[in-house]
Amino acid sequence: MRILFLLFTFLSFNLFAQYHVVSGRITDEKKQGLPFSSVIVKGTTIGTNANADGYYTLRVPDGPCELIFQYVGYKKHTESVVVNDNQTLNVSLSSESYELKEVVVKDGEDPAYAVIRQAIKKRKFYLNEVNAFTCKAYIKGLQRLKDYPKNLAKLINIQAGDQPLDSNLLGVVYLSESETKYHFRKPNDEKEIMFSSKVSGDNKAFSFNQVSDMKFNLYENLVELDGLSDRPFISPINENALLSYRYKLLGTTFEDGKMINKIQITPKRKTDPCFRGIIYIQENTWRIHSADVYLTKDAKIDFVDTLKIVQLNAPVKDSTWMPMSLNLSFNFKVLGFKGDGYFNAVFSEYDLNPTFPKKFFKNEVLKVEDEANKKDSSYWTQNRPVPLTDEEKTDYRKKDSIARIRNSSRYKDSVDHKLNKFKLSNLITGYTYRKTEKKFMLSTSGILNSGIQYNTVEGINASLQLNIRKEFEDKRMYTIGGYSRYGFSNYLWGGAGNFYYLMKPEKFQSINITAGSLVQQFNSSNPINPTINTGYTLFNNDNFMKLYKKTYAGFEFRKELINGLIGQFKTEYAERSALRNSTDMLIVDDKHKLFTSNDPLHPATDDSSFTVNNAFVVEVGVSIRFKQKYYTRPHEKVIVGSKYPIINILYRKAIPGLGTKADYDFAAISIEDNIRLGLVGTFAYRLKGGYFLSNKYMDFMDYKHFNGNQTLLANNDYLNSFKLLPYYTYSTNKWYAEAHAEHHFNGFIFNKIPLLKKTRMQEVVGGHALFNDKANQYYEVNFGIEHILQIIRVDYVLGYGPQNAFHQGFVIGLGLDF
């Protein structure tokens, strides 16, 4: 009976309790608002944050209760209230006074070190204290643009209607709110369900705010801040933190009878991945009470100049503390653009003893509910835990009003009518025709992007592209592409078309139908960039690109069969015919070099190695990634990775008969992964192997070719190419094994070198190997520097091949992984 009574009491409180709103402003002694300060109902997990101006709103169950007001660095304040109606309660918090009168310095060491050592001892305990929990999270994100290059408007002639650029570009550029239910279970199971989302100016969009991106746990040895840095940051209570930090006790104070130590943390080395600021540690329990820390450019963060992190923890059950609020604020200045912003999270309704249904934690780590972005303004007025600032109210009102106009058919047609007018400049830049209301677009290339190139087979060649794209509300889409090409030296016309249809985006299910007659590289991976080949041919007498004519029709089907298993089927019927050099035009003539023929197997003769033939090829492949994690949004699935490698398996069969000669069977497998190694960097590898089960009839384009390089400019697919390997010397029709690996140190070494640590350059090393019946063994080792001027990478490469041949060289590429 006692159990039934307690159960009835619990249900009565939760189902029939009346709520009213307590609201007001939290300020300091000077009546200045305390941004993102916290208010909690004592003895519960009901709480909220103030907004950027210090205003708060909290729904509280009727009856007597105590409200606890907190702000990092200020004295906690408790107010006893009786709630039976909506009421206003303004609170002023006093700065916390931290005393040093009892501090004793021993052996020249600051007393903070003794506190930190105790906190380090307790780190694992608090890290593993909670095995599972659920909570509700409200996240608001806001970004502002405060300035931009003054010549921007003149350079690209930006106009928005009749309004000047300043009124459209400056101010709030992103404002979004979301509510989620977050679930966690050790060791690494998590699932987030976003049930409401609002984006200023776009009622069809979903917020990018996620609890998984707001996880900030100083009990972890290394704190990951994905998207802001290639490397993690060292916690101030990391097990080896004394090697990286300096500590200073700024004073102590008492809160609820417990002494709180205020400790300043400073990196020992300016460019180490360490935090600066203040952490507050409770005496005797040695738990982190709160943190007010920041990172600067010195710590090698990307995109922003300064990132400030303020976290407040509080007891939610007995002596168990959990984060109640987290604020990430930042400012940036890059290429003349200046701005700032914040993400503010409020965590409430904790359950530290949740019961999860069987198979609740699978691989879906975020689910956005279908109705999440359909909540109206009255819902947000009632449920928003953090009131909007005047700036945010204005932004919502302005952008939602503009969105209503811009989403109207009349407005879209008016804009389309203006933009669809053909101009003479479109002959150079290309032309685009839009029907925005129907999500339809047609575009053609112009002279600048038509791909005017040069090679010794076609001479000067030019191409023209036509693309049609149609999108649907449920994320389905199709494209129709047309492509024509003409060689002015061999007078050869070529053309191709394709139809691509993404029919089930959430399953990655698509078809692609192709047909055409074009010149093709013998290596279908196209390792030789046409622009680079143009330069080397005209200025260095090196005509690396080797081509043949292919007339074909093909079909491809792709679908995710189950999570982490994607199947693909391809078939193609093609006629292949040989081509010869038709020109020897060049700009700089090196008298010691001659153009090679267009026959990769016989570079000294123009006699082709093959005659016109047909091939009918069928290919089946699967891509496997075990326990693949993903997000789901309405009609959409987003892959976020796995702790396991990707395995790709392929089988290709050339079927003779019906006028076709090609007859071979080929099987291949590859394994690849990217592994984070903490402060030491990131290790990535790709292993590949293949075997021709039969090779009764094959022409050279059917061989397995390898992505080599004979130029100064590297192939930017670093884990799928060699830096010094000749393009076709080691092509095989028997077997091969290939290995590529790179380690990105992410500044681990350069940060310890005085002159280099001030730059943002990072070090990388790699190794590459090839084994087959032609090469026997071929190795490359590269030592590189990346992030030069943010995007440039330079490598010094040593190669070792058959006949004990050594070669070396420098290659330049792009490193766009910052």
Side-chain angles (χ1 to χ4, degrees):
M1 294 299 294
R2 176 181 169 85
I3 294 175
L4 291 175
F5 174 77
L6 292 174
L7 179 61
F8 176 78
T9 302
F10 173 80
L11 291 174
S12 297
F13 178 80
N14 286 276
L15 297 177
F16 305 111
Q18 296 295 313
Y19 286 81
H20 284 93
V21 174
V22 178
S23 60
R25 194 181 191 202
I26 307 171
T27 62
D28 60 15
E29 300 98 323
K30 297 179 180 180
K31 302 304 179 183
Q32 298 295 312
L34 294 176
F36 314 115
S37 45
S38 298
V39 54
I40 304 169
V41 180
K42 186 176 181 180
T44 74
T45 61
I46 300 173
T48 188
N49 276 10
N51 66 18
D53 297 328
Y55 290 97
Y56 74 94
T57 299
L58 181 64
R59 294 180 72 243
V60 181
D62 284 3
C65 66
E66 290 183 296
L67 300 181
I68 301 173
F69 297 84
Q70 291 178 279
Y71 189 69
V72 175
Y74 284 71
K75 291 181 180 179
K76 180 193 292 187
H77 179 79
T78 303
E79 284 278 349
S80 297
V81 297
V82 177
V83 178
N84 51 29
D85 200 354
N86 294 342
Q87 57 183 280
T88 300
L89 179 61
N90 296 319
V91 173
S92 178
L93 301 185
S94 302
S95 297
E96 190 67 84
S97 57
Y98 291 85
E99 299 182 358
L100 279 169
K101 62 183 180 181
E102 298 181 4
V103 171
V104 178
V105 177
K106 295 181 180 180
D107 301 324
E109 184 181 73
D110 191 282
Y113 284 84
V115 176
I116 291 296
R117 288 190 180 95
Q118 293 294 337
I120 291 174
K121 289 179 182 179
K122 293 286 285 186
R123 182 190 67 81
K124 285 187 177 180
F125 172 79
Y126 290 123
L127 179 63
N128 299 305
E129 184 180 20
V130 177
N131 290 317
F133 72 89
T134 64
C135 71
K136 180 181 177 181
Y138 165 82
I139 303 175
K140 182 195 294 180
L142 180 144
Q143 287 85 55
R144 304 181 190 90
L145 184 64
K146 291 188 168 183
D147 199 6
Y148 63 91
K150 296 305 180 185
N151 61 353
L152 180 64
K154 296 179 181 179
L155 180 64
I156 58 178
N157 192 27
I158 294 181
Q159 291 291 328
D162 296 324
Q163 299 295 318
L165 180 62
D166 285 348
S167 66
N168 294 282
L169 192 60
L170 298 182
V172 177
V173 295
Y174 175 79
L175 171 61
S176 175
E177 301 172 273
S178 66
E179 292 181 297
T180 64
K181 187 74 173 180
Y182 182 73
H183 311 77
F184 174 82
R185 183 179 65 188
K186 283 189 175 297
N188 296 307
D189 291 331
E190 63 178 345
K191 186 171 184 178
E192 186 174 351
I193 300 174
M194 183 181 294
F195 56 89
S196 60
S197 167
K198 184 176 177 64
V199 179
S200 181
D202 192 346
N203 59 10
K204 294 183 179 181
F206 294 99
S207 173
F208 290 105
N209 306 339
Q210 295 175 208
V211 174
S212 55
D213 291 335
M214 298 287 288
K215 290 190 295 184
F216 177 73
N217 190 351
L218 291 180
Y219 293 121
E220 296 280 1
N221 262 326
L222 299 174
V223 180
E224 300 276 358
L225 294 176
D226 290 338
L228 285 176
S229 178
D230 293 325
R231 57 182 182 170
F233 297 91
I234 301 170
S235 167
I237 58 169
N238 177 292
E239 57 189 1
N240 296 308
L242 297 179
L243 299 175
S244 302
Y245 283 97
R246 292 189 179 91
Y247 304 92
K248 182 179 180 180
L249 182 64
L250 300 181
T252 61
T253 190
F254 284 86
E255 181 181 283
D256 298 332
K258 304 279 184 152
M259 190 168 78
I260 307 296
N261 297 281
K262 181 180 182 180
I263 297 174
Q264 182 183 65
I265 58 172
T266 309
K268 284 188 173 181
R269 290 163 293 275
K270 189 176 180 180
T271 55
D272 275 0
C274 294
F275 299 97
R276 299 170 181 268
I278 309 294
I279 57 172
Y280 300 83
I281 297 179
Q282 194 179 71
E283 189 79 6
N284 296 323
T285 63
W286 313 115
R287 64 164 50 93
I288 297 175
H289 171 280
S290 53
D292 185 352
V293 298
Y294 65 96
L295 296 165
T296 67
K297 280 287 189 184
D298 291 332
K300 304 297 176 63
I301 54 177
D302 294 322
F303 306 114
V304 299
D305 292 332
T306 304
L307 173 68
K308 184 178 181 181
I309 304 170
V310 180
Q311 184 180 57
L312 177 66
N313 303 317
V316 297
K317 181 182 179 183
D318 301 326
S319 61
T320 303
W321 289 43
M322 297 293 287
M324 302 303 292
S325 66
L326 176 65
N327 181 263
L328 308 179
S329 56
F330 57 87
N331 59 68
F332 63 88
K333 180 180 179 183
V334 57
L335 299 176
F337 292 91
K338 297 180 183 178
D340 60 17
Y342 66 81
F343 285 91
N344 183 44
V346 180
F347 305 103
S348 60
E349 301 180 18
Y350 276 100
D351 180 0
L352 303 188
N353 295 292
T355 300
F356 299 113
K358 188 177 181 181
K359 296 184 179 180
F360 178 78
F361 293 105
K362 288 188 176 180
N363 298 301
E364 184 185 45
V365 294
L366 170 66
K367 177 179 176 61
V368 180
E369 294 185 340
D370 291 352
E371 302 298 314
N373 64 347
K374 295 178 174 59
K375 307 294 175 66
D376 59 20
S377 58
S378 61
Y379 170 88
W380 285 101
T381 300
Q382 183 178 359
N383 291 277
R384 178 185 289 119
V386 179
L388 298 175
T389 64
D390 290 341
E391 178 187 39
E392 293 161 354
K393 292 177 183 176
T394 300
D395 188 72
Y396 271 133
R397 187 166 54 249
K398 175 183 175 182
K399 288 183 179 174
D400 290 348
S401 176
I402 293 174
R404 282 191 293 273
I405 296 172
R406 291 181 173 176
N407 288 331
S408 68
S409 298
R410 182 177 179 181
Y411 178 85
K412 291 177 181 178
D413 291 343
S414 174
V415 173
D416 288 344
H417 179 73
K418 181 179 179 180
L419 295 177
N420 288 341
K421 290 181 179 179
F422 185 82
K423 303 174 184 178
L424 287 177
S425 60
N426 293 135
L427 294 173
I428 299 175
T429 60
Y431 173 73
T432 299
Y433 174 84
R434 307 167 181 83
K435 290 292 289 184
T436 307
E437 178 71 14
K438 296 183 178 180
K439 297 181 178 291
F440 175 87
M441 183 172 65
L442 180 150
S443 62
T444 64
S445 58
I447 295 174
L448 281 181
N449 54 1
S450 65
I452 297 178
Q453 311 288 350
Y454 175 80
N455 60 67
T456 53
V457 173
E458 300 171 287
I460 296 174
N461 58 85
S463 59
L464 179 67
Q465 297 183 49
L466 171 70
N467 290 290
I468 296 173
R469 182 183 180 94
K470 167 68 176 176
E471 298 179 356
F472 301 89
E473 292 291 340
D474 58 3
K475 302 293 185 179
R476 290 181 301 118
M477 57 86 68
Y478 69 78
T479 63
I480 300 174
Y483 177 85
S484 65
R485 179 183 178 116
Y486 182 71
F488 288 89
S489 179
N490 65 352
Y491 310 110
L492 180 66
W493 275 101
N498 78 287
F499 173 77
Y500 171 81
Y501 179 38
L502 179 62
M503 58 185 69
K504 289 186 178 180
E506 66 276 14
K507 287 290 186 179
F508 308 106
Q509 183 173 332
S510 65
I511 61 170
N512 191 28
I513 302 171
T514 59
S517 180
L518 288 172
V519 295
Q520 300 273 338
Q521 294 189 41
F522 282 89
N523 183 348
S524 59
S525 297
N526 298 318
I528 310 165
N529 180 281
T531 302
I532 296 174
N533 181 74
T534 297
Y536 267 83
T537 303
L538 291 175
F539 294 95
N540 207 50
N541 288 45
D542 288 315
N543 57 327
F544 295 123
M545 185 179 288
K546 307 302 177 186
L547 304 166
Y548 71 100
K549 182 182 176 182
K550 178 179 174 182
T551 302
Y552 63 94
F555 173 81
E556 178 180 351
F557 176 78
R558 185 174 185 265
K559 181 182 179 180
E560 184 177 54
L561 306 174
I562 58 174
N563 181 54
L565 177 63
I566 294 179
Q568 180 173 281
F569 170 81
K570 294 173 65 176
T571 183
E572 181 183 80
Y573 187 93
E575 177 189 87
R576 294 91 62 89
S577 55
L579 297 172
R580 296 187 178 188
N581 290 341
S582 65
T583 179
D584 58 1
M585 183 183 78
L586 43 75
I587 295 175
V588 177
D589 187 5
D590 185 342
K591 302 297 183 181
H592 301 286
K593 295 171 70 173
L594 295 174
F595 285 142
T596 56
S597 77
N598 189 49
D599 183 350
L601 290 175
H602 306 95
T605 177
D606 285 328
D607 295 331
S608 175
S609 61
F610 75 97
T611 57
V612 177
N613 67 85
N614 299 328
F616 177 57
V617 179
V618 176
E619 181 177 298
V620 179
V622 292
S623 177
I624 306 167
R625 191 152 200 180
F626 299 103
K627 295 188 176 181
Q628 174 182 265
K629 305 296 182 183
Y630 62 92
Y631 302 156
T632 56
R633 299 188 181 99
H635 310 294
E636 187 178 17
K637 180 176 182 177
V638 181
I639 306 301
V640 294
S642 168
K643 64 179 180 180
Y644 297 100
I646 299 174
I647 302 173
N648 295 297
I649 301 173
L650 177 144
Y651 172 73
R652 183 185 301 133
K653 169 67 176 177
I655 303 172
L658 297 177
T660 63
K661 296 179 64 176
D663 185 3
Y664 65 87
D665 295 81
F666 173 70
I669 186 171
S670 70
I671 302 174
E672 60 187 90
D673 203 1
N674 195 308
I675 305 169
R676 290 186 174 185
L677 298 176
L679 295 175
V680 182
T682 303
F683 177 75
Y685 69 87
R686 181 176 290 165
L687 308 176
K688 302 193 291 183
Y691 185 77
F692 285 90
L693 304 172
S694 68
N695 55 5
K696 295 178 182 178
Y697 185 91
M698 298 177 67
D699 279 308
F700 193 61
M701 69 286 295
D702 300 317
Y703 282 40
K704 170 61 183 176
H705 306 288
F706 306 98
N707 294 333
N709 181 54
Q710 293 174 253
T711 73
L712 180 64
L713 301 174
N715 185 324
N716 290 317
D717 189 356
Y718 288 97
L719 289 179
N720 197 36
S721 62
F722 296 89
K723 312 297 180 292
L724 302 177
L725 185 76
Y727 294 111
Y728 294 109
T729 302
Y730 302 115
S731 299
T732 182
N733 64 348
K734 292 185 178 178
W735 65 272
Y736 72 94
E738 195 175 346
H740 304 270
E742 286 196 339
H743 185 79
H744 300 261
F745 287 92
N746 299 336
F748 180 76
I749 298 174
F750 282 6
N751 281 340
K752 297 172 176 60
I753 302 174
L755 293 178
L756 292 177
K757 68 181 182 181
K758 294 182 179 180
T759 71
R760 299 187 65 79
M761 296 188 299
Q762 298 180 359
E763 60 279 24
V764 58
V765 299
H768 311 266
L770 172 65
F771 307 92
N772 67 15
D773 59 297
K774 297 289 182 66
N776 188 17
Q777 57 181 10
Y778 177 86
Y779 304 100
E780 286 182 359
V781 179
N782 59 285
F783 306 89
I785 300 174
E786 56 187 347
H787 296 186
I788 302 171
L789 301 177
Q790 292 282 22
I791 63 171
I792 298 174
R793 170 172 163 172
V794 177
D795 285 88
Y796 171 68
V797 188
L798 285 171
Y800 174 77
Q803 289 81 51
N804 299 321
F806 282 94
H807 20 276
Q808 60 182 333
F810 285 92
V811 292
I812 301 173
L814 297 178
L816 296 174
D817 56 339
F818 61 95

